[in-house]
Amino acid sequence: MPQSYSVKYPPSAVVDFVIVGSGAAGGVLAKELSVAGFAVVVLEKGPRLRPEQFAHDEYRYLFQNEIGFKTPVTWREHAKQVATPASFNDGMRGIWAAQVVGGSSVHFTANFWRFRPVDFDERSRLGAIPGASLADWPISYDDLEPYYTKVDWEVGVSGAAGGWGEPRRSRPYPVPPLPVKSAGVLFERAAKKLGWHPFPAPMAILSRPHNGRGACQSCGFCMGYGCEFGAKSSTLASMIPIAERTGRCEVRANCHVRKVELDAKGRATGVIYFDAQGKEQLQRARAVVLACNGAETPRLLLMSKNKHFPQGLANSSGMVGKHLMFNGGAIVPGLYEHPLNEYKGVQVTRIALDWYDSDAKRGFYGGGGLDARADLTLPIFWGLAGGAPGQRNWGSDYKAFLAHNFTRQMSVMGHTTSLPVESNTITLDPTLTDAHGLPAIRVTYRDHEDDLKMTRFMQERAREIHVAAGAKQVVDFPVGVSTSAAHLLGTCRMGNDPKSSVVDRFHRTHDVRNLFICDGSSLVTSGRGQPTMTIMALAFRAGEHLAAFARRGEI
Ligand SMILES: Cc1cc2nc3c(=O)[nH]c(=O)nc-3n(C[C@H](O)[C@H](O)[C@H](O)COP(=O)(O)OP(=O)(O)OC[C@H]3O[C@@H](n4cnc5c(N)ncnc54)[C@H](O)[C@@H]3O)c2cc1C
Ligand code: SF4
């Protein structure tokens, strides 16, 4: 399997930037910095897959975790508990992320909502929320808008401008919305009946050819899979090829970074990693950029502790790993009389964001949005989880139920806020280790009560959609505390105050002048469910600033 596709820097080279992680943020940064003329090495611990290597194989991808997260994870609700191992492919607990070139942008669902102005200054608008550390961002929606537009056009987003409550946008979408599916038709009809304002879902999936890439072929193996057509706008399909074509960016796959190195003056000099053969190497660079995601970036900082930073690198504030946020989610399946055939195509074609803003009349903090999709699009998951709670899930009756209903099901999903809570953390597990002997990730997480109330609120709205759409049966699962996560946010939050944040408004760590962090960990608030559009917009913005710093000799 090829390890790199373009320039190869000799081991002795001091490059301008070494970027750790090639996912949603890392891929954008690689493109921005190499196009700006800098020598860039990207170290990615996962393999690099060619489009034809993406398999339509539910067992290998969702149960054997072929492209998934390999770092062992332990999980607990609060610091007094002993965390126990939690693996996503063993009971859907733990962390769901990808470990491949392109990161989780390769296998994600591609719902691509921009954050709205309220997400950036909600602390000022609402005041403090007891039990949470809600804070304003040091940047506004207007600061980020040009970079959202770059994501739309450069990465590739389909949609229709003018959706309900849409904030200012400087350009329309580059390609129109994806064709509406049955779930979208039912959702739209029901939502309008209820007086709500559904609109075409913005998706990071091309509905038409754009930037030399082809359109979606509606294969249906989308959420959890890579797109062999290049229609899903992963950084592997959209950004990394451009970076490599500059002749200045080398993407080294199967390279696991274990430490950021500092010199005696406290400057980052490079990173130590295990190469594809498991041999330890040092990549030197003028500046180090971490883009490993909201779980792996704090892990790497905590593993990089040294005499200057005994609590973990860039952690003088003590904030590294804190304020972990996931986004809440209510899933309400429904069964319909006629076939919907939702197993085909992309997951989502219509959404409604009528509950985006927090509303004091509800009596709790939070906001969210709804979509409709076949959550259980594939046969093994459908067989294991297709029934209602308490339904006998074996025998000929169950088989007949599955056979009849596979084509007749859709779920309405509510996506919601997570409050930043200081005791929700990523730390290093004291006993469990990975294949290199490095500490496992320990998640400590209990949803804020308002997050659970907001999820229940959205569950009720989802049920209303099903009823208005004429569902024959609606299934209510109890809303409980989170035991798994695919959105990993907030653990190295951005802020002006070095005492309460890890990076500044330009993604420079407050503690180390030439160490930058940009990925899900930079987020100050969680948005209402779909963070990756914002992660990529931040990466475009960070890329521009890092390039300017480098040109001015400020790294
Ligand atoms: C199934 C699924 C569906 C999703 N659907 C949506 C959606 O519809 N909308 C949405 O907005 N978001 C969605 N997400 C979330 C989205 O994928 C993430 O928010 C986004 O990819 C995070 O970007 P990132 O740059 O922070 O990290 P990632 O994209 O996870 O990239 C981090 C990269 O760093 C690498 N890495 C980590 N540590 C090291 C190390 N020490 N050395 C070398 N490399 C390292 C990892 O292997 C990975 O490739 C989904 C996630 C999953 C799992
Ligand atoms: S449904 Fe479309 S975007 Fe998704 S993997 Fe298939 S072809 Fe690609």
Side-chain angles (χ1 to χ4, degrees):
M1 196 174 298
Q3 301 301 301
S4 99
Y5 284 49
S6 65
V7 65
K8 266 192 183 301
Y9 290 102
S12 56
V14 181
V15 295
D16 295 312
F17 291 97
V18 60
I19 301 173
V20 187
S22 65
V28 170
L29 284 157
K31 180 257 171 190
E32 285 294 279
L33 293 170
S34 56
V35 167
F38 297 99
V40 177
V41 166
V42 180
L43 297 172
E44 165 57 54
K45 70 175 169 172
R48 178 165 189 151
L49 300 179
R50 292 187 303 276
E52 67 274 18
Q53 289 176 305
F54 288 121
H56 287 190
D57 189 325
E58 189 183 4
Y59 189 67
R60 274 167 54 193
Y61 275 48
L62 299 187
F63 292 87
Q64 292 187 314
N65 197 30
E66 189 164 303
I67 64 168
F69 199 67
K70 307 291 187 295
T71 306
V73 174
T74 62
W75 197 286
R76 60 184 181 176
E77 262 182 52
H78 55 78
K80 287 195 181 137
Q81 282 176 339
V82 175
T84 54
S87 146
F88 199 82
N89 49 325
D90 172 21
M92 309 273 283
R93 291 177 70 231
I95 289 177
W96 193 7
Q99 188 174 307
V100 285
V101 172
S104 302
S105 72
V106 166
H107 75 162
F108 77 158
T109 317
N111 291 295
F112 242 45
W113 313 351
R114 292 180 178 204
F115 280 15
R116 296 187 163 194
V118 65
D119 290 303
F120 297 87
D121 61 4
E122 209 162 24
R123 171 68 175 80
S124 293
R125 295 184 195 216
L126 299 181
I129 308 286
S133 318
L134 187 63
D136 287 346
W137 291 57
I139 58 173
S140 67
Y141 175 83
D142 282 337
D143 292 326
L144 211 49
E145 198 286 332
Y147 305 97
Y148 279 130
T149 298
K150 270 177 174 279
V151 182
D152 281 347
W153 284 82
E154 294 194 30
V155 177
V157 183
S158 62
W164 186 84
E166 187 184 48
R168 181 183 70 81
R169 61 164 47 246
S170 49
R171 266 183 104 177
Y173 287 94
V175 288
L178 289 147
V180 68
K181 293 177 61 184
S182 319
V185 171
L186 289 176
F187 180 86
E188 182 164 2
R189 207 182 281 158
K192 282 186 175 160
K193 209 157 132 188
L194 292 162
W196 304 339
H197 304 87
F199 61 92
M203 299 290 285
I205 293 176
L206 298 180
S207 59
R208 299 228 179 115
H210 178 67
N211 287 347
R213 291 168 36 219
C216 171
Q217 303 298 310
S218 293
C219 75
F221 283 76
C222 205
M223 183 179 80
Y225 299 84
C227 177
E228 68 266 45
F229 303 104
K232 195 193 282 185
S233 298
S234 66
T235 53
L236 177 64
S238 62
M239 296 282 99
I240 289 170
I242 302 174
E244 290 178 325
R245 279 200 297 272
T246 64
R248 287 183 286 272
C249 177
E250 178 184 356
V251 179
R252 268 179 227 156
N254 298 310
C255 291
H256 185 153
V257 176
R258 72 160 185 82
K259 193 170 188 203
V260 180
E261 280 286 90
L262 291 196
D263 66 14
K265 292 184 189 148
R267 271 184 62 79
T269 52
V271 297
I272 300 178
Y273 67 97
F274 297 106
D275 69 13
Q277 285 69 45
K279 203 168 146 215
E280 227 172 62
Q281 306 279 2
L282 169 67
Q283 176 61 56
R284 292 188 181 81
R286 289 169 64 208
V288 173
V289 185
L290 304 187
C292 309
N293 79 35
E296 291 281 14
T297 288
R299 175 184 186 225
L300 183 53
L301 291 170
L302 295 173
M303 289 193 303
S304 300
K305 69 181 179 189
N306 57 34
K307 65 176 190 246
H308 299 287
F309 296 101
Q311 301 306 317
L313 186 58
N315 194 20
S316 66
S317 61
M319 292 297 148
V320 167
K322 291 186 175 166
H323 302 117
L324 177 64
M325 301 175 286
F326 293 154
N327 292 129
I331 304 177
V332 181
L335 299 178
Y336 286 78
E337 185 182 348
H338 300 292
L340 307 178
N341 295 325
E342 274 296 308
Y343 58 89
K344 296 177 189 166
V346 304
Q347 286 269 301
V348 176
T349 56
R350 289 291 181 274
I351 60 170
L353 300 182
D354 294 63
W355 310 272
Y356 201 92
D357 288 347
S358 199
D359 181 352
K361 288 203 280 301
R362 289 184 207 135
F364 49 87
Y365 162 85
L370 284 181
D371 68 47
R373 55 171 89 185
D375 190 43
L376 301 169
T377 39
L378 296 165
I380 304 178
F381 255 132
W382 173 242
L384 289 172
Q391 180 177 353
R392 195 177 74 175
N393 62 354
W394 53 273
S396 53
D397 289 354
Y398 188 57
K399 273 193 198 161
F401 169 89
L402 292 175
H404 181 74
N405 287 309
F406 181 63
T407 53
R408 292 173 167 79
Q409 44 110 5
M410 74 175 204
S411 291
V412 180
M413 285 191 72
H415 308 268
T416 57
T417 32
S418 287
L419 279 161
V421 174
E422 197 172 326
S423 54
N424 286 340
T425 57
I426 296 289
T427 49
L428 303 180
D429 192 87
T431 51
L432 191 66
T433 54
D434 70 8
H436 294 293
L438 304 172
I441 287 171
R442 179 172 63 183
V443 176
T444 305
Y445 197 89
R446 194 190 153 86
D447 309 67
H448 190 282
E449 278 309 310
D450 284 12
D451 296 344
L452 295 173
K453 286 178 186 164
M454 186 63 212
T455 306
R456 285 188 198 106
F457 176 84
M458 292 306 276
Q459 187 183 41
E460 287 159 19
R461 304 292 77 73
R463 170 172 257 287
E464 284 168 12
I465 289 272
H466 277 306
V467 172
K472 275 188 350 183
Q473 190 187 335
V474 183
V475 178
D476 291 308
F477 292 108
V479 171
V481 295
S482 298
T483 56
S484 67
H487 299 178
L488 303 160
L489 311 171
T491 45
C492 296
R493 59 172 17 184
M494 185 194 262
N496 291 327
D497 183 356
K499 291 200 186 63
S500 58
S501 58
V502 179
V503 294
D504 69 12
R505 54 193 279 116
F506 304 115
H507 298 264
R508 195 195 290 268
T509 57
H510 292 300
D511 292 343
V512 181
R513 187 177 159 79
N514 64 338
L515 173 63
F516 299 86
I517 299 172
C518 182
D519 57 19
S521 73
S522 311
L523 271 61
V524 183
T525 56
S526 69
R528 272 61 180 165
Q530 312 301 347
T532 310
M533 175 57 156
T534 298
I535 293 171
M536 286 192 182
L538 288 173
F540 272 106
R541 180 175 175 275
E544 200 171 287
H545 287 293
L546 266 60
F549 292 147
R551 278 190 209 105
R552 297 200 298 262
E554 293 173 8
I555 56 172

